[in-house]
């Protein structure tokens, strides 16, 4: 970097007060072509307070006042009123909008009014539960006795907590493994359970979320069996249930419900359809409060697209036509960090990987040192591997201005008081809007203005977002999805429920669609015995069910010379990542795999850093098992259903890291694997493709390119990443008999992603088309139709024909975001 302004470093220090618009102008004028695609001014907002609810006791108001809360924000009061009236509520508002007061207020008011009532609080992590414990304990309310109950709780304290605590903080794993199986010891607590608080509920997604949904149903069942005590004052005031949401018929009145069991209070990051997601998670009708009335500082938010690089001179031998790529987001972020630091601006850069954070910090340091020797010392990397004290020291140095630039992996690892920075750089879309705002939220001192910059990576979704600011700053469309009807989740959860107490026909309604089939399956497998009074668990041991499990056994990666366990790779990706000869990266260190032993579930590796990378190739076939729902749109058909995917990793390529040149292709001898899962697929008639100008010979490349881009854009509609999903396209599929593109959930039984794609097909495929059309490359690049995980080496691909395919589909799909549901001929 030649154009660092040394004069600016003289005035470096906290609070340079440089207006963000001015800083942004200086950053962007250093580029020959303007990389900024959009600037959004997110204005400062004054908070809107509401009076304390009448039922909030003076003792509680005074406790909050001691912590600086003189009155709730309006959204907090609204959610608290609904919950106190007995409605299940989800608060889905931004980072730092005070969601915890919204659930603490009704829960603690009830504990103070009713000396017998109890509250259960669930957090996705132990650390969050510990934070919440500090907050509740800090209020110093008589008789509440809050306590964490998790794997770290000493045995000697557990009985005291079960008997005396009235505000128990735990996590879904402990509820599943500890509290529900030991329910006899918890009967007193559960009988008096008034509220269940589910914090950060957007983290319960996919297969894990589907498991948690059933853990909550098991909790509701136990509470109903113990029967809650009548005549508690707040319950007497409770009205009718909130508006129903469609939860696939699992809102049966048999158990729980707003009148009977505990009231569920959920907190979520902003997302699409929070009431539907919360309804699916709890199996109850849930009302959403989504308007954020907390105050915030103003942010100037720039969307930044690194320029396309010209093709390299030695492009002839490069693999897979990877000829045109953008300047890497890491380099771009490093330059921006150096430039901001040179301007004396305190800047935090978020990078997705730990290695990436180190690269960004190192490059920024080098650039600064070239301009002004010694200036590089004011930039550091912030790693998870550091000790807590080291990390806090780095944060303090940044807050005080001794450090000016910090590159970090994850907003959640940072201390809560690291806010008020002048600028935040976000290297690559962090995956969800919640993460984006969590990271951007570190910028902006109170009353001041700050700058946030999202730097796009070479990826279809990043490219789409920097050209479609409405997807970031408008109404959220990305929803948290889960699928409690997944039979691979439902059957083991019903086994757990039966082991807790025999299942009755009424329970089947509680567990929802597919419960009867799953119970029949367990009976046939010899795990349940049917008697007139219900279904009984037949074994002495309880079922072993891992909430985060994928079904397949994870593969341990072991260093052969030392026997040291480096980590695990889930069973589904092992064939791709740790086949014999694979180069495997672990925490920045390069290893080569000597052997993969599938029977023992381990891969043996040794340290080696060759100058090539490895890329597995697979052969995949797919057959349709059943159609759940479909839409007949003339020459186009849209389907949702079950499929069997068979894939076999057959070879791998070795490629030079520097040039991408293919060294050789080596065969592999690995078994084929079967996956039964849920897919969305669309079909087109050959005539409609011909009429759109797609030559018969180009159909495979057209469909393949459309499939890649569609997979890349699905995370816009559902919180998943492209590694959660797979695809297959073919010019003639034996089951559909026409050109077809399939996109399937990469998890046994499905995780809800394909279903979300089906329901939002017009919006999803419309965004896919726009992303491909708007990419500036000529014949396809990683920002549009190329995929980093393609089993066919990105061949064949036709970018212009992919647009024609998508145009035909979109012209025939009904307008509007959602495809209507029609029962399929083989509904399960
Ligand atoms: Zn492109
Ligand atoms: Zn592919």
């Amino acid at each position: 970097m030649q154009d660092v302004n040394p004069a600016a470093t003289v005035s470096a220090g906290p609070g340079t007060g440089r207006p963000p618009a001015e800083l942004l102008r200086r950053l962007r004028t250093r580029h020959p072509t303007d990389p900024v695609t959009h600037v959004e001014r997110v204005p400062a907002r004054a908070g809107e307070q509401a009076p304390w609810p009448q039922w909030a006791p003076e003792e509680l108001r005074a406790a909050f006042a001691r912590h600086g809360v003189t009155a709730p924000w309006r959204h907090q009061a609204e959610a608290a009123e609904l919950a106190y009236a007995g409605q299940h509520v989800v608060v889905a508002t931004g980072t730092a909008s005070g969601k915890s007061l919204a659930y603490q207020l009704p829960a603690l008011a009830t504990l103070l009014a009713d000396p017998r009532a109890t509250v259960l609080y669930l957090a996705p992590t132990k650390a969050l539960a510990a934070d919440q414990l500090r907050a509740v304990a800090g209020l110093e309310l008589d008789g509440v006795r809050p306590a964490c109950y998790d794997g770290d709780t000493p045995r000697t304290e557990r009985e005291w907590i079960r008997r005396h605590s009235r505000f128990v903080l735990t996590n879904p794993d402990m509820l599943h493994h500890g509290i529900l199986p030991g329910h006899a010891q918890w009967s007193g607590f559960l009988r008096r359970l008034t509220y269940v608080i589910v914090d950060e509920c957007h983290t319960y997604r996919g297969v894990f979320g589907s498991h948690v949904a059933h853990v909550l149903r098991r909790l509701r069942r136990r509470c109903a069996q113990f029967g809650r005590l009548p005549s508690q004052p707040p319950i007497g005031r409770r009205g009718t249930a909130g508006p129903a949401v469609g939860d696939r018929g699992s809102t049966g009145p048999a158990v729980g419900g707003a009148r009977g069991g505990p009231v569920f209070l959920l907190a979520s990051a902003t997302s699409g359809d929070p009431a539907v997601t919360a309804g699916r998670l709890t199996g109850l009708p849930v009302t959403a409060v989504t308007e954020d009335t907390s105050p915030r500082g103003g942010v100037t938010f720039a969307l930044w697209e690194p320029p396309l690089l010209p093709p390299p001179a030695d492009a002839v031998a490069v693999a897979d036509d990877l000829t045109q790529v953008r300047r890497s987001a890491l380099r771009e972020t490093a330059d921006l960090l150096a430039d901001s630091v040179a301007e004396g601006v305190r800047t935090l850069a978020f990078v997705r990987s730990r290695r990436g954070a180190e690269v960004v910090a190192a490059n920024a340091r080098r650039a600064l040192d070239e301009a002004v020797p010694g200036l590089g010392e004011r930039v550091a990397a912030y790693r998870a591997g550091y000790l807590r004290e080291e990390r806090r020291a780095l944060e303090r140095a940044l807050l005080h201005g001794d450090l000016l630039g910090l590159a970090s992996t994850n907003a959640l690892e940072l201390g809560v008081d690291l806010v008020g920075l002048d600028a935040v750089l976000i290297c690559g879309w962090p995956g969800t809007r919640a993460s984006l705002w969590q990271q951007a939220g570190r910028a902006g001192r109170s009353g001041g203005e700050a700058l946030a910059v999202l730097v796009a990576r070479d990826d279809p979704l990043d490219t789409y977002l920097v050209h479609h600011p409405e997807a970031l700053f408008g109404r959220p469309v990305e929803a948290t999805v889960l699928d409690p009807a997944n039979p691979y989740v439902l059957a083991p959860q019903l086994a757990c429920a039966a082991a807790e107490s025999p299942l009755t026909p009424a329970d089947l309604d509680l567990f929802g669609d597919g419960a009867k089939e799953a119970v029949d399956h367990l009976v046939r497998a010899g795990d349940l015995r049917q008697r007139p009074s219900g279904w009984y668990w037949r074994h002495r041991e309880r079922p072993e069910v891992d909430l985060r499990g994928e079904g397949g056994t994870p593969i341990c990666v072991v260093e052969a010379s030392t026997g040291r366990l480096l980590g695990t790779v889930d069973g589904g990706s092992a064939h791709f990542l740790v086949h014999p000869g694979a180069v495997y990266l672990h925490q920045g260190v390069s290893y080569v795999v000597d052997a993969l032993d599938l029977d023992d579930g381990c891969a043996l590796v040794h340290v080696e850093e060759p100058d090539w990378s490895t890329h597995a190739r697979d052969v995949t076939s797919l057959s349709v098992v059943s159609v759940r729902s479909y839409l007949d749109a003339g020459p186009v058909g849209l389907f949702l259903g079950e499929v069997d995917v068979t894939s076999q990793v057959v070879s791998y390529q070795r490629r030079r890291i520097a040039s991408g040149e293919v060294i050789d292709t080596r065969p592999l001898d690995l078994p084929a694997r079967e996956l039964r899962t849920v897919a969305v697929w669309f079909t087109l008639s050959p005539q409609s493709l011909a009429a759109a100008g797609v030559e018969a010979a180009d159909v495979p490349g057209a469909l393949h390119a459309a499939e890649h881009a569609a997979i890349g854009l699905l995370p816009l509609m559902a919180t998943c990443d492209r590694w959660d999903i797979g695809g297959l396209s073919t010019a003639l599929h034996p089951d559909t008999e026409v050109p077809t593109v399939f996109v399937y959930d990469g998890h046994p039984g499905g995780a809800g992603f394909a279903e979300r794609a089906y329901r939002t097909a017009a919006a999803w495929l419309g965004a896919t088309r726009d992303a491909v059309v708007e990419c500036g490359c000529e014949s396809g690049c990683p920002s549009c139709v190329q995929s980093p995980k393609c089993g066919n080496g990105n061949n064949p691909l036709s970018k212009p024909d992919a647009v024609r395919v998508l145009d035909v589909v979109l012209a025939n799909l009904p307008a509007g975001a959602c495809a209507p549901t029609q029962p399929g001929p083989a509904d399960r």
Side-chain angles (χ1 to χ4, degrees):
M1 186 146 332
Q2 306 81 23
D3 49 0
V4 169
N5 174 9
T9 63
V10 178
S11 62
T16 54
R18 191 182 300 284
E22 158 78 7
L23 173 62
L24 180 61
R25 194 185 58 72
R26 298 177 74 114
L27 293 177
R28 69 201 287 192
T29 52
R30 294 182 180 177
H31 285 254
T33 54
D34 189 359
V36 173
T37 56
H38 179 81
V39 178
E40 181 88 9
R41 170 94 173 79
V42 184
R45 180 179 58 208
E48 191 185 331
Q49 287 186 322
W52 289 108
Q54 287 200 331
W55 44 260
E58 185 50 43
E59 182 187 357
L60 187 57
R61 298 181 199 195
F64 282 126
R66 282 198 302 277
H67 289 79
V69 179
T70 51
W73 305 117
R74 184 164 55 75
H75 68 276
Q76 294 171 326
E78 279 173 13
E81 289 281 12
L82 286 165
Y84 198 76
Q87 294 197 24
H88 310 292
V89 183
V90 58
V91 194
T93 51
T95 310
S97 58
K99 289 188 278 272
S100 46
L101 185 89
Y103 55 70
Q104 286 169 356
L105 186 54
L108 295 172
T110 300
L111 294 187
L112 292 175
D114 174 2
R116 295 183 54 79
T118 60
V119 170
L120 185 67
Y121 167 94
L122 295 171
T125 64
K126 287 183 205 165
L128 185 62
D131 280 351
Q132 187 61 212
L133 173 64
R134 271 192 291 280
V136 173
L139 293 171
E140 296 177 329
L141 298 168
D142 275 346
V144 172
R145 301 183 288 272
C148 277
Y149 190 92
D150 57 37
D152 296 340
T153 308
R155 301 247 156 234
T156 49
E157 289 174 23
R158 293 190 174 189
E159 191 185 344
W160 184 92
I161 293 171
R162 286 193 293 262
R163 294 169 73 101
H164 300 294
S165 173
R166 297 171 60 219
F167 195 113
V168 170
L169 304 101
T170 186
N171 54 63
D173 303 87
M174 193 64 184
L175 184 58
H176 163 66
H177 288 295
I179 296 176
L180 289 170
H183 52 79
Q185 293 170 305
W186 283 91
S187 60
F189 182 89
L190 294 178
R191 180 176 296 124
R192 297 176 282 128
L193 188 59
T194 314
Y195 288 104
V196 178
I197 297 164
V198 185
D199 208 353
E200 303 279 327
C201 68
H202 58 277
T203 57
Y204 304 129
R205 65 176 189 89
V207 174
F208 175 51
S210 308
H211 272 293
V212 173
H214 289 298
V215 172
L216 295 179
R217 284 161 178 74
R218 282 160 52 202
L219 172 67
R220 288 174 49 206
R221 188 172 82 115
R222 298 310 294 163
C223 289
Q225 286 167 344
F226 291 131
R228 59 184 333 289
L229 296 178
S231 85
Q232 288 143 349
I235 308 301
R237 298 177 62 254
R238 285 181 183 166
T240 52
V245 291
D247 178 40
R248 314 230 296 198
S250 54
T251 56
V255 190
R259 288 168 192 278
V263 171
F264 281 74
L265 258 161
L266 304 99
S268 165
T270 46
S271 67
D273 295 338
V276 171
T277 304
R280 204 171 254 206
L281 186 64
T282 57
L284 294 162
V286 178
T287 306
V289 173
T290 56
E291 194 193 346
D292 189 343
T293 57
S294 65
R296 67 168 178 218
V299 177
T300 296
F301 213 127
L303 306 182
W304 190 286
E305 184 176 47
L308 279 169
L309 295 173
D314 59 346
V316 199
V318 165
D320 302 331
D321 303 312
L322 291 164
T323 46
Q324 205 172 20
V325 292
R326 289 181 188 281
R327 189 151 190 271
S328 98
L330 287 177
R331 279 170 176 252
E332 202 80 353
T333 305
D335 282 0
L336 287 170
L337 181 59
D339 287 351
S340 319
V341 166
E343 295 280 342
V345 170
R346 289 177 315 153
T347 306
L348 184 57
F350 287 108
V351 188
R352 284 166 68 111
S353 72
R354 185 166 145 166
R355 179 91 189 98
E358 283 164 15
V359 167
V360 165
N363 283 349
R365 269 200 300 268
R366 195 177 312 122
L368 287 164
D369 275 334
E370 277 172 19
V372 183
L375 188 54
E377 283 168 23
R378 302 186 71 181
V379 173
Y382 180 104
R383 290 200 299 250
Y386 288 160
L387 296 174
R388 186 185 158 86
E389 296 75 53
E390 292 171 316
R391 290 195 266 160
R392 295 298 169 260
L394 281 175
E395 289 168 14
R396 271 195 306 277
L398 185 62
L399 281 174
H400 295 153
D402 303 328
L403 263 186
L404 281 174
L406 198 59
S408 170
T409 45
N410 189 324
L412 296 176
E413 288 166 6
L414 295 169
V416 285
D417 50 351
L418 187 63
V419 290
L421 298 166
D422 303 311
V424 166
L425 308 172
I426 300 164
C427 179
W429 170 242
T432 61
R433 288 161 60 107
S435 310
L436 182 80
W437 291 108
Q438 237 155 17
Q439 298 183 351
R442 299 293 183 157
R445 60 192 69 235
S446 57
E449 292 281 325
L451 177 67
V453 180
L454 171 64
V455 181
R457 279 178 313 155
D458 215 357
D459 173 278
L461 184 56
D462 284 41
T463 307
Y464 177 83
L465 290 169
V466 293
H467 289 285
H468 290 267
E470 75 280 0
L472 289 174
F473 304 108
R475 211 177 139 265
V477 290
E478 147 209 299
T480 308
V481 301
L482 52 142
D483 181 13
N486 177 338
Y488 296 83
V489 173
L490 190 46
Q493 285 291 335
L494 283 165
C496 292
E500 282 153 19
S501 74
L503 290 165
T504 65
D507 290 333
L508 299 186
D509 289 340
L510 173 72
F511 287 95
D513 284 358
K516 180 67 171 65
E517 290 85 338
V519 164
D520 290 344
H521 169 79
L522 290 166
V523 170
R524 281 195 304 274
D527 293 324
L528 293 185
R529 171 174 293 142
Q530 186 164 14
R531 294 201 181 130
S533 53
W535 291 273
Y536 287 71
W537 179 243
R538 294 184 61 170
H539 308 289
R540 183 186 291 273
E541 303 81 26
R542 283 204 313 270
E544 262 188 45
V545 177
D546 178 0
L547 300 187
R548 294 156 205 269
E550 285 293 315
T553 326
I555 301 289
C556 297
V557 182
V558 177
E559 191 175 27
S561 59
T562 59
R564 187 165 65 101
L565 176 67
L566 299 175
T568 59
V569 175
D570 80 68
S573 0
H575 294 219
F576 280 93
L577 298 178
V578 290
H579 59 76
V583 176
Y584 174 75
L585 293 172
H586 178 73
Q587 301 205 335
V589 180
S590 170
Y591 298 85
V592 172
V593 178
D594 301 314
L596 171 61
D597 186 333
L598 293 167
D599 294 331
D600 283 351
C602 75
L604 297 175
V605 303
H606 66 272
V607 175
E608 186 184 336
E609 194 160 358
D611 72 343
W612 63 81
S613 56
T614 53
H615 304 262
R617 298 289 187 93
D618 72 342
V619 178
T620 298
S621 64
L622 181 153
S623 62
V624 174
V625 177
S626 66
V627 173
R628 234 188 243 182
S629 181
Y630 67 93
L631 183 78
D632 182 353
V636 170
L638 180 70
F639 299 83
L640 178 73
E642 268 131 31
V643 295
D644 277 336
V645 181
T646 308
S647 67
Q648 185 170 20
V649 173
V650 291
S651 64
Y652 69 101
Q653 278 189 343
R654 298 191 302 156
R655 295 186 203 154
R656 296 248 178 261
I657 290 171
S659 62
E661 177 201 350
V662 176
I663 303 168
D664 57 10
T665 300
R666 299 181 166 198
L668 286 169
D669 182 22
L670 290 167
R673 284 163 311 146
E674 291 261 343
L675 173 71
R676 174 159 296 186
T677 185
V678 178
V680 57
W681 63 96
F682 59 83
T683 58
L684 304 98
S685 72
Q687 297 78 5
S688 68
L689 285 174
V694 183
E695 307 266 342
D698 296 329
V699 170
L703 299 173
H704 190 200
E707 172 217 319
H708 280 184
I711 291 173
L713 264 293
L714 186 49
L716 181 69
M717 315 308 300
T719 47
C720 58
D721 70 35
R722 68 190 302 159
W723 302 92
D724 285 326
I725 19 191
L728 183 124
S729 55
T730 165
L732 177 63
H733 192 273
D735 293 332
T736 65
E737 299 176 347
V738 280
T740 310
V741 172
F742 293 89
V743 172
Y744 56 84
D745 284 1
H747 306 272
F753 306 125
E755 185 185 334
R756 175 75 181 165
Y758 176 78
R759 301 211 182 283
T760 59
W764 166 48
L765 296 174
T768 302
R769 179 203 176 273
D770 291 351
V772 178
V773 169
E774 288 158 11
C775 187
C777 72
E778 243 171 60
S779 55
C781 73
S783 284
C784 55
V785 298
Q786 292 184 351
S787 164
K789 55 172 286 200
C790 182
N792 296 311
N794 282 302
N795 184 36
L797 287 179
S798 168
K799 175 179 168 179
D801 287 320
V803 176
R804 296 189 183 104
V805 163
L806 292 164
D807 278 338
V808 172
V809 174
L810 291 164
N812 287 285
L813 281 188
C818 290
T821 307
Q822 293 177 6
D827 224 351
R828 75 170 173 211

